Amino acid sequence: MKKENTSTAFLDVLRWSATAMVVLLHVVSGVTAILSAEMTPDQRAVYYTLKALMTAGVPLFLMISGALLLDPEKEITVKRLFTHYLRRILLALLLFGTIYAVIELAVTEGGFSPDMLLQGFLNTLNGRSWAHMWYLYELAGLYLAAPLLRILIKNASREVLEYGLILGFIFSSLIPFGELLTGFNLNFTYPFSGIYLFYFVFGYYLLKYIKITPRFSAAAAIVTAGFLIIDMGFLKIFRVSYDSPFIVLLSACLFLTASGSGVRVSWMSAHRNLCFGIYLVHPVFLNFFYKFLDTTPLDPGYAGIPLFWAGTFFCSCLVSWIMQKIPPLKKYVV
């Protein structure tokens, strides 16, 4: 059924929710990646469960972008895409990526030298900056593909669009999931596979065509989250990543719950631009807590998780707000 309500204010609620989820994802994933040997079995269960649940944050970002950029009724020229959307992503990537790459070089070498600026820039082009910057490389590629995708979507029937999404889901999620589970690899390929491309188009499809009772989608999200909690906390059968069918289902349920909620203009809409800055800078504070304060979320016990999340989120929000007050950064980057 085609949506009658075309309001997209709910996307801002989703954007803030996804931002909060990604910050929490990096709080817990930093511990599981660096301090796994120091964790008790119970701590591993809690941290890996939270990591699995928060993995849906990035797919939500991609679905929001697709819902906004792929709508054929929204006039977005190739020039506009390059001079506004893509330029912003590339400038943010090169500026912040270079800064973070230089920081890593300075820490490794035990000091700063001017030639690190060029090396940091080259490292960024080579993808050797801080780990969270990977998303900007991926998003830039999706933006480049957006004009072609918009033409395909404009001229495709709903049936054809669903056919492409089904194939994308099979080859980008179900087959990799099955191969991981069974160890048996299929040699079939699909030229339009890729879980990030799938999420990008899926967001538009859900916004355009799917309308269900939010109570139903919320219940489905709760059931999916409950299954992940049981598996990650006790069973430990499945590996959860962006291409996991469970994350596809959880992301879709969260998206549909928000879209059916009837949310209109809110504070989140007025300050939506803060989210991008929060994403860019939040690892700075996690690194500060770890390396300069020599403290981790494990130190205060389980209370460390909400404390680190709240501290990182608040500080990042403040810095993002300050960046919005700097005209060149606000106009061209954040």
Side-chain angles (χ1 to χ4, degrees), residues 260-328:
S261 64
V263 172
R264 298 296 181 179
V265 177
S266 65
W267 182 92
M268 293 183 180
S269 296
H271 299 86
R272 67 170 70 94
N273 291 336
L274 291 178
C275 293
F276 188 49
I278 293 172
Y279 183 87
L280 288 173
V281 304
H282 74 273
V284 173
F285 299 100
L286 291 176
N287 276 279
F288 177 77
F289 295 144
Y290 275 59
K291 297 177 182 178
F292 291 94
L293 297 184
D294 195 27
T295 183
T296 74
L298 293 179
D299 295 334
Y302 292 116
I305 298 173
L307 287 174
F308 268 69
W309 174 83
T312 301
F313 193 86
F314 174 79
C315 293
S316 302
C317 190
L318 179 60
V319 170
S320 182
W321 179 80
I322 293 172
M323 290 193 297
Q324 288 287 321
K325 301 299 180 182
I326 302 173

Side-chain angles (χ1 to χ4, degrees), residues 33-326:
I34 301 172
L35 303 171
S36 181
E38 302 177 20
M39 302 171 70
T40 66
D42 288 343
Q43 287 174 329
R44 288 193 185 94
V46 170
Y47 275 78
Y48 277 100
T49 298
L50 283 174
K51 181 181 176 182
L53 294 174
M54 296 305 108
T55 298
V58 169
L60 286 175
F61 274 140
L62 293 168
M63 293 163 73
I64 292 168
S65 295
L68 291 172
L69 287 180
L70 298 182
D71 186 355
E73 297 179 6
K74 184 177 181 180
E75 186 176 353
I76 302 177
T77 63
V78 174
K79 179 180 178 181
R80 169 74 172 168
L81 188 138
F82 270 81
T83 59
H84 179 72
Y85 295 99
L86 187 59
R87 179 190 66 185
R88 176 170 167 260
I89 292 299
L90 291 179
L91 287 177
L93 174 60
L94 295 177
L95 175 60
F96 285 89
T98 298
I99 291 172
Y100 297 150
V102 169
I103 290 174
E104 288 300 308
L105 289 171
V107 170
T108 301
E109 300 295 331
F112 172 77
S113 61
D115 63 316
M116 288 181 179
L117 294 174
L118 176 59
Q119 187 59 51
F121 177 77
L122 295 175
N123 284 356
T124 300
L125 293 179
N126 194 240
R128 291 183 291 155
S129 185
W130 283 4
H132 76 298
M133 301 301 285
W134 75 266
Y135 176 71
L136 301 190
Y137 296 96
E138 184 64 40
L139 195 57
L142 291 172
Y143 281 178
L144 287 172
L148 299 175
L149 292 172
R150 284 170 57 84
I151 294 173
L152 291 173
I153 287 172
K154 183 178 181 179
N155 293 281
S157 65
R158 176 175 176 175
E159 181 183 21
V160 170
L161 181 57
E162 289 174 344
Y163 172 73
L165 285 170
I166 290 171
L167 285 179
F169 177 64
I170 291 172
F171 282 91
S172 302
S173 181
L174 283 184
I175 289 179
F177 178 75
E179 289 176 341
L180 184 67
L181 202 60
T182 64
F184 181 81
N185 294 327
L186 294 174
N187 199 36
F188 295 101
T189 60
Y190 173 61
F192 302 108
S193 63
I195 196 61
Y196 307 121
L197 175 62
F198 169 80
Y199 282 125
F200 195 58
V201 179
F202 196 37
Y204 163 76
Y205 171 78
L206 292 178
L207 177 64
K208 187 70 174 179
Y209 292 110
I210 305 301
K211 184 179 181 180
I212 62 175
T213 304
R215 290 183 180 179
F216 177 81
S217 55
I222 292 171
V223 170
T224 306
F227 175 82
L228 289 173
I229 291 171
I230 293 172
D231 180 67
M232 300 304 296
F234 304 99
L235 303 178
K236 299 179 176 62
I237 298 174
F238 304 107
R239 179 185 67 85
V240 174
S241 58
Y242 297 127
D243 61 358
S244 167
F246 305 115
I247 296 303
V248 173
L249 178 59
L250 179 59
S251 303
C253 290
L254 293 174
F255 189 98
L256 291 172
T257 300
S259 68
S261 64
V263 172
R264 298 296 181 179
V265 177
S266 65
W267 182 92
M268 293 183 180
S269 296
H271 299 86
R272 67 170 70 94
N273 291 336
L274 291 178
C275 293
F276 188 49
I278 293 172
Y279 183 87
L280 288 173
V281 304
H282 74 273
V284 173
F285 299 100
L286 291 176
N287 276 279
F288 177 77
F289 295 144
Y290 275 59
K291 297 177 182 178
F292 291 94
L293 297 184
D294 195 27
T295 183
T296 74
L298 293 179
D299 295 334
Y302 292 116
I305 298 173
L307 287 174
F308 268 69
W309 174 83
T312 301
F313 193 86
F314 174 79
C315 293
S316 302
C317 190
L318 179 60
V319 170
S320 182
W321 179 80
I322 293 172
M323 290 193 297
Q324 288 287 321
K325 301 299 180 182
I326 302 173

